[in-house]
Amino acid sequence: RSTAWNPQGVAMDPRTNYLNQARLKRELKQRGHDFLDIAGVFGQPEDSLLVTNISRFELADLASPSKFDQQSFIFGRKTSPS
């Protein structure tokens, strides 16, 4: 799960959040990633994205202060049944 809403958990006005989220979507598309819009919560509800086929390191880069300045992201990996 990734988002551009509320950098560092600080509540931003809706317009700023929507503009930041649009920038994140553009960047993900430029990098060749597919994503789904999902609901998320980090202290308060915020629009989030489920990004497929992305590495933990790339998510960390997007969450970094030089990009979208997020305190956290959620990463998971699909594994085969044993």
Side-chain angles (χ1 to χ4, degrees):
R1 177 183 90 81
S2 184
T3 188
W5 278 52
N6 304 319
Q8 291 300 308
V10 176
M12 304 297 282
D13 64 277
R15 184 176 189 282
T16 299
N17 282 328
Y18 286 113
L19 291 172
N20 286 341
Q21 193 77 342
R23 281 185 33 243
L24 175 58
K25 288 179 178 182
R26 279 193 305 276
E27 181 145 356
L28 288 167
K29 286 179 184 177
Q30 289 172 348
R31 293 179 182 211
H33 294 295
D34 294 322
F35 54 84
L36 299 170
D37 290 290
I38 62 171
V41 175
F42 188 80
Q44 59 192 343
E46 49 187 33
D47 290 352
S48 296
L49 302 171
L50 176 65
V51 185
T52 57
N53 298 316
I54 191 168
S55 72
R56 177 180 54 219
F57 303 106
E58 197 168 0
L59 280 174
D61 175 58
L62 290 167
S64 71
S66 65
K67 297 282 183 169
F68 295 96
D69 201 20
Q70 296 296 302
Q71 286 185 345
S72 65
F73 58 87
I74 298 171
F75 174 79
R77 180 178 303 135
K78 182 178 178 181
T79 59
S80 301
S82 28

